[in-house]
Amino acid sequence: MNQERIYQVVFGPHISEKATIVAEDNSQYVFRVANDATKPEIRKAVEQLFDVKVESVRTLIQKGKTKRTQRGMGKRNDVKKAYVRLAAGQEIDFLAAE
């Protein structure tokens, strides 16, 4: 996988309360990914970016909220997230990766 495609697949970590709880308990990390990204692409991108061994990838599409605006009802964009489980003993330090 070339460098351009890696940065088109994985946008960055998704930081939330649930994501930090999952990271502490299960060695899982949550990433925001492109809507057209597949699980094998996400696996390769994370392995190449952070030099870790990925055990499994689970994805979901979070539907955008419907919000009322001055001009009627609007809708935020949908977001695809990937829960990436690393092999035993592996971890990602986001501060060192920059």
Side-chain angles (χ1 to χ4, degrees):
M1 178 179 286
N2 61 6
Q3 286 296 105
E4 283 185 31
R5 183 62 184 157
I6 289 174
Y7 293 115
Q8 291 173 353
V9 170
V10 176
F11 296 140
H14 179 78
I15 308 298
S16 66
E17 187 175 354
K18 181 178 178 182
T20 54
I21 291 170
V22 169
E24 290 172 358
D25 294 341
N26 301 8
S27 181
Q28 285 186 347
Y29 296 92
V30 184
F31 293 96
R32 297 183 80 178
V33 296
N35 286 341
D36 64 341
T38 61
K39 289 182 182 183
E41 281 182 329
I42 296 167
R43 173 189 294 261
K44 288 179 187 176
V46 171
E47 286 178 347
Q48 288 182 5
L49 276 175
F50 300 105
D51 294 326
V52 293
K53 179 71 176 140
V54 174
E55 191 173 301
S56 67
V57 177
R58 296 183 306 164
T59 60
L60 65 95
I61 296 177
Q62 180 179 357
K63 300 296 181 181
K65 288 183 177 181
T66 304
K67 300 294 254 179
R68 184 179 304 275
T69 65
Q70 261 184 331
R71 294 171 176 77
M73 297 299 282
K75 183 179 173 293
R76 293 184 183 170
N77 294 334
D78 296 343
V79 175
K80 186 170 186 178
K81 295 192 282 188
Y83 284 79
V84 177
R85 180 185 299 271
L86 302 181
Q90 300 276 321
E91 72 175 30
I92 296 174
D93 186 14
F94 292 113
L95 297 177
E98 291 177 354

